[in-house]
Amino acid sequence: MEQDKPNRECLLDKTPQATLGKPLSRSEGLAKVTGTAPYAAEYPIADCLEGVLVTAPFARGTIDSIDKDTCLAMEGVVAVIDDERLTSRPAQGTAGEAPVQKPRQIDYFGQPFALVVAETFEQARHAAKHLEFTFTADDLSQVSFDPEGTESERQEETRQGDLAHAMAEAKHAVDARITTAGHASAAMEPHAAIAEWDGSNLTVHASLQMLNYNISEIADSLGMEEDNIRLISRYVGGGFGSKLGISQECLAASLAAMTLEKPVRVVLSRQQVFQNIMRRSETTQRLRLAAGADGALNGFGHEGLVSNLPKESFAEPILQSSQFLYSGENRLLGLDVARVHRMTAGSVRAPGEAVGMPALEVAMDMLAEETGVDPVELRLRNIPDAHPVEGTPFSSHKLAECLKQAADSFGWEAGPRKPRQRREGEWWIGTGMASAARVHNISKAKARVTLKPDGTALVETDMTDIGTGTYTILGQLAGEMLGLPREKVLVELGDTRFPRGSGSGGSWGASSVGSAVYVACQGLRRELASRAGVNEDDVSLKDGRIANGPSLVDLLDGKDLSEEGFYEPGDIDDDFVAAGFGAYFAQVRVNRFTGETRVDRMTGAFGFGRVLNQKTARSQCQGGMVWSIGVALTEALHFDPQDGHLVNCDLAEYHVPVNRDVPELDVIMVEERDPAASPIQAKGIGELGMCGGAAAIANAIYNASGARVMDFPMTPDRVLAAMP
Amino acid sequence: MKPFRYSRPDSLDHAGQLTSDADARAIAGGTNLIDLMKLQVETPQQLVDINTLSLGEIADAENGGLSIGALATNTATAAHPRVRSDYPVLARAILAGATQQLRNKATTGGNLCQRTRCYYFTNIDQPCNKREPGSGCGAIDGIARLHAVLGTSPHCIATYPGDMAVAMAALDATVQIIGPAGERSVPVRDFHRLPGDTPEKDNVLEAGEVITAVTLPAPVGGKQLYRKVRERSSYAFALVSVAAVVEMDGGRIARADLAFGGLAHKPWHDPRLSELLVGEEPTAALFDKAADLLLEDAQGYGENDFKIPLARRALAATLAEATGAEL
Ligand SMILES: Cc1cc2nc3c(=O)[nH]c(=O)nc-3n(C[C@H](O)[C@H](O)[C@H](O)COP(=O)(O)OP(=O)(O)OC[C@H]3O[C@@H](n4cnc5c(N)ncnc54)[C@H](O)[C@@H]3O)c2cc1C
Ligand code: SF4
């Protein structure tokens, strides 16, 4: 099915099974917490050799020669793989082709260029540290590491009217420079792969998010046919964008297995994960807001500088939601990219809005103060009726409702605000808020649904479940459509032998693959109706039978009934702007002596279309809010100014929030149906929870302490420096 | 990880013999040593597992003090009734460190000897005088966010990262050591060294010496506080920390034993602070003077400049909390 028009009448609102939306626990949860769900590196494969990547100890240059013999003489060492097909960088999400290979040309500190394979992991790790090689490193003064002060190119620009003029004439204007730090995905499971080769076919157990693209990336890198490759990724211990494209371990394991004709496992060390896998670019942003006395925007400017390695097309898309979130006749939005020799920049959860929205929403808070308009009211006054430049209507828009519901639940005191009004002992206490917005992404996807003679159903697609609940919601969807309780639906994912799904990323998994399952089930319903001799529109399926009619077992008559569903977005995005919206409110305390900030409580309200499972959706929202705390207060990649290497490359020094940093998170899911977003009227939810939340915390820091910090994360030193 | 031999000594003497080899390391909880071995920062030829020795006891010591065995876990020490009632600053400092899981394994001796968290020290592709004498210091012109502002040298600006020892320095505890030359005691305040031109030596332990216990002097009254300023509320090393044992008498300060973490290559104790504070009424101006004295010679390295004002504020806040003074 190709979607060209809104699906206003969705079957899912009429089906009687009532499993969809229920807060069911993840079906694989027990296996995961009991350690019986095998992750990529854990498949019990006999006689598996172990590979460890060797990385470059310099920033840019070439590896000239590798002395394999000394290394091969070490105990247990089987091979040194330096095949030209090893990749030097991970593939960008949805690339579907080989990433930059040329392993001997070094573009960043810590880039892998060879693999040492040994009988045991310890032997391989030891030998990898002792591989001898010669290299030519470029003079560091000729290599750029810091985007500030490096020449940049404009990647994208939107202009309408005259922003400079609007700023000059405005009753109230804000012109703010805000920076955000680089981030790591910091998934718990490190990147890992086990490759097996039978002489003509390659099987890779990997930890990947998008098998449908990954198989093409591997095939292209190796010069193989996709038909000879099988990828398996049943359980993924967190991805957050870092496993969208293949990374170095996949090809290294594959090439080693093909060379040695034995299975080979390659697991990146935590340090290698940090040093090689996609980082989120740091950003420097300029926000210009021109408003009248009532706060109505007449000018809107958002420009930013981000960075990446040469030859990478990805640029942290910080302007995505700024294009349409607020009105303002005169607009200038621009994105610049500087080429620096840090590891590849790519997608980390909510690429773009994760850092673009916090900057915008801090500027909006400054405008609220400037105009004396309540921050919630200011946002309400600036919600456009349609896309401010293109004039396209919104498919569905719940910002106002989210703002109101969250404000209510939080107990927001409306009115003009003044900082430093409440102190308890050492702590300044204050509140802040921000809007959330995230573009809705959707992709083509296939899924096969089979009704089994015993009246159960099987869903198969190469879609992955990265811990978000995909197994569960696809089972609920199929159950709802086919009139089966969730436990009668078996869901099999993460294997390229199944029809190609969308992969998990960009929050598009549930709506894309969910729509494919929906389409497949529609086909099955049609067939069942015809077999039962009833009109398709009158079919009502519940608990394994047609209402007042035969059971599925009878209709199937001992045979499988299978249907492959195909869904494709079509031209609908020309006609509508589809996005998820929301609002955050936070109360923080700021220590007046030390500048330490702790979040006391946080409320988020989100509208993201149909809720497929109340529990897994809530978890996604909460997870996003936890990440918002990280963006606001703790997370930052630190790069050495001299050679550009990442200095804090483990979980002790890259500070994601810990339990104690996260208070009770109040999540409100605002009822919504978005008929243009997908046939099942659902939108993405995996990322929306962190698209602006950091600003609610930043604004609360200001309200509490009077410290208007312009740099994320707001660590104690920065808060102190900004404290009046 | 480099291959190594593993041995289990059957006596303290035996442990001393085994560890007197320059390429041997004692292993207790292993929470620091094994991490560093995986990174090839530590490359011992031999691991001497001292867990075979009975050094885990926490027992009353002479003159009303308390002896904490070198192998007592951080969890056991922090939970010990006498530590909780008589030396609360120690319990607080330990509980402010690491995580429950780590504290369950971490020991008194290992905690005292834990190595710096300097990012350049733990990355063997970077220069570091502490890891490889003469190779240079990567941190001085690099990311020195965690680094020292007191007692640094041009060769090394690393900090001692721990919390427990900071409280022990405030309490004026003593490290009990046994070695080839017999037993000796070293005050915790003198146990760690300044880097000078031999930053490879963290402390005064000589080859073959093993810590057997730390003894705390008889308890004193007053307030005992540990304030740790950090980037997140758990599982983060101190940016700055203050351990304080403060007694008041008739509105004046009668005792002020202070030690600081995050500022230097050792838990920092400056006897002049106590001299300045004792006998005075607690006021903001007095605390400021104390900070002036403490930070007289402080030097920042760019990234860590903030530690100087932060230490001043943390000191004032701690003294205010301990004395009841209003700030
Ligand atoms: C992620 C992380 C976070 C942490 N956070 C904190 C924190 O916030 N605050 C804090 O204070 N600490 C923190 N730590 C450090 C932790 O406290 C130490 O790792 C622990 O105390 C070391 O004790 P251990 O027994 O495991 O030592 P081991 O790793 O066994 O040994 C460490 C060193 O001590 C030597 N040694 C051990 N026992 C003796 C002895 N009896 N005599 C002579 N030498 C000996 C060993 O040879 C070795 O060199 C953290 C550690 C980690 C991994
Ligand atoms: S500060 Fe010390 S430990 Fe850190 S790099 Fe310099 S010499 Fe090494």
Side-chain angles (χ1 to χ4, degrees), chain A residues 57 109 122 125-126 129-130 271 275 426 591-594 596 598 634 638-643 645 647-648 651-656 658 660-661 715-717 720, chain B residues 1-3 38-40 117 119-120 123-126 138 141-143 145-146 227-237 239 306 310 313-314 317 321 326-327:
Chain A
F109 202 108
E122 286 74 15
R125 182 168 55 184
H126 178 52
K129 295 271 185 204
H130 289 82
Q271 287 73 17
Q275 287 165 349
E426 294 187 5
N591 190 292
R592 57 188 279 252
F593 296 114
T594 62
E596 288 165 293
R598 303 288 178 249
T634 57
H638 295 293
F639 293 92
D640 181 82
Q642 302 159 98
D643 63 17
H645 82 275
V647 296
N648 53 334
L651 291 170
E653 295 305 337
Y654 179 79
H655 291 158
V656 298
V658 296
R660 234 197 194 179
D661 296 313
T715 45
D717 49 319
L720 269 191
Chain B
M1 187 180 273
K2 193 174 135 181
K38 287 183 192 167
L39 296 168
Q40 305 237 344
R117 308 302 289 200
Y119 320 108
Y120 298 81
N123 184 340
I124 61 166
D125 290 331
Q126 293 293 321
D141 296 315
I143 301 291
R145 186 168 174 78
L146 298 175
R227 177 184 292 263
K228 178 174 178 181
V229 185
R230 45 185 152 170
E231 287 187 359
R232 61 181 171 191
S233 52
S234 173
Y235 195 43
F237 288 91
L239 294 172
F306 72 88
L310 184 59
R313 299 176 76 110
E321 193 183 343
E326 274 295 324
L327 284 189

Side-chain angles (χ1 to χ4, degrees), chain A residues 251-334:
Chain A
L251 283 186
S254 302
L255 286 163
M258 291 162 78
T259 310
L260 301 169
E261 302 192 332
K262 278 198 177 154
V264 177
R265 171 175 20 233
V266 179
V267 182
L268 298 192
S269 69
R270 183 65 67 192
Q271 287 73 17
Q272 288 177 334
V273 171
F274 271 91
Q275 287 165 349
N276 289 291
I277 301 305
M278 302 284 179
R279 64 184 169 98
R280 187 201 305 288
S281 171
E282 66 300 308
T283 73
T284 303
Q285 304 180 47
R286 184 182 186 193
L287 276 302
R288 281 183 286 175
L289 303 172
D294 59 353
L297 287 166
N298 175 43
F300 183 95
H302 191 175
E303 289 162 279
L305 172 69
V306 301
S307 70
N308 209 338
L309 276 166
K311 299 201 204 93
E312 292 295 326
S313 58
F314 181 90
E316 182 75 18
I318 57 173
L319 307 175
Q320 266 175 171
S321 285
S322 300
Q323 300 286 4
F324 57 76
L325 182 58
Y326 297 126
S327 47
E329 193 44 38
N330 300 286
R331 304 178 82 82
L332 172 54
L333 292 90

Side-chain angles (χ1 to χ4, degrees), chain A residues 467-639:
Chain A
T468 51
T470 313
Y471 281 104
T472 311
I473 56 142
L474 294 183
Q476 285 175 280
L477 247 171
E480 190 62 48
M481 290 291 285
L482 300 173
L484 294 172
R486 166 70 188 90
E487 55 289 357
K488 295 253 168 161
V489 184
L490 179 65
V491 182
E492 294 268 27
L493 304 177
D495 188 331
T496 50
R497 290 199 167 163
F498 302 141
R500 300 284 170 85
S502 59
S504 305
S507 300
W508 74 18
S511 44
S512 307
V513 181
S515 293
V517 169
Y518 178 80
V519 172
C521 291
Q522 275 180 322
L524 292 173
R525 288 171 63 96
R526 224 170 283 133
E527 176 61 25
L528 292 172
S530 113
R531 286 188 189 182
V534 288
N535 190 327
E536 187 191 334
D537 294 336
D538 299 335
V539 176
S540 175
L541 288 160
K542 187 160 192 291
D543 294 333
R545 54 190 329 124
I546 295 194
N548 310 314
S551 71
L552 294 187
V553 175
D554 289 343
L555 286 174
L556 290 163
D557 194 21
K559 286 193 228 58
D560 281 6
L561 176 60
S562 193
E563 183 80 29
E564 190 168 284
F566 175 60
Y567 165 76
E568 201 173 11
D571 291 334
I572 198 158
D573 57 351
D574 294 344
D575 302 335
F576 295 97
V577 182
F581 294 95
Y584 312 89
F585 289 78
Q587 176 179 311
V588 307
R589 52 187 58 222
V590 179
N591 190 292
R592 57 188 279 252
F593 296 114
T594 62
E596 288 165 293
T597 300
R598 303 288 178 249
V599 181
D600 280 346
R601 61 195 181 96
M602 204 167 169
T603 297
F606 306 99
F608 47 90
R610 184 188 300 277
V611 178
L612 303 175
N613 175 322
Q614 291 276 345
K615 189 173 188 172
T616 56
R618 182 176 301 275
S619 293
Q620 289 300 303
C621 297
Q622 288 179 331
M625 288 161 77
V626 171
W627 278 55
S628 297
I629 296 173
V631 174
L633 300 178
T634 57
E635 291 186 47
L637 295 175
H638 295 293
F639 293 92

